[in-house]
Amino acid sequence: MSEYKKQLPLITAIDKPFWEAAKRHELVAYRCLNCGTFYSHPTDCVACDKPKMDWVRVSGKGQVFTFGIYHQLYHPAWKEDIPYNVAWVKLDEGPLLMSNIVECKNEDIHIGMPVEVVFDDVTEEVTLPKFKPVK
């Protein structure tokens, strides 16, 4: 595996289950097991009065909620990727995740585009969930 030069996520005790699941090529989201409400990040449930929170596996399917194409270099590690995209994907289960859309041209990305998760093993310790168009 070649040296990965881009920024890596800061993995904390709070989000460690998310990154451990990604390493197994599984996508998880935080959910209230009492009422079923999903969240993008660990929090207490605001939808019910008896929250019981845990990470649960999700389908990995969703759609592009919004996105941007970056043409300016903000960090030297991204030089070879200019222009690159950053997208918010709304999972079918509800939460939003920020990632990249891969396996398509930037000009083909559009709001509402159906996507599914793929996993990029960037280091021995970190796997990044990214999304590709559903064919």
Side-chain angles (χ1 to χ4, degrees), residues 62-96:
Q63 60 181 296
V64 174
F65 183 76
T66 192
F67 68 99
I69 308 297
Y70 289 76
H71 295 271
Q72 182 173 340
L73 184 62
Y74 293 101
H75 188 282
W78 291 85
K79 183 178 181 181
E80 301 301 317
D81 295 327
I82 298 285
Y84 63 91
N85 69 74
V86 175
W88 283 95
V89 172
K90 183 174 177 71
L91 298 176
D92 286 352
E93 292 82 3
L96 292 166

Side-chain angles (χ1 to χ4, degrees), residues 5 9 19 36 59 77-78 88 120 127 131:
K5 297 181 181 181
W19 296 108
S59 68
W78 291 85
W88 283 95
D120 188 359
T127 297
F131 290 84

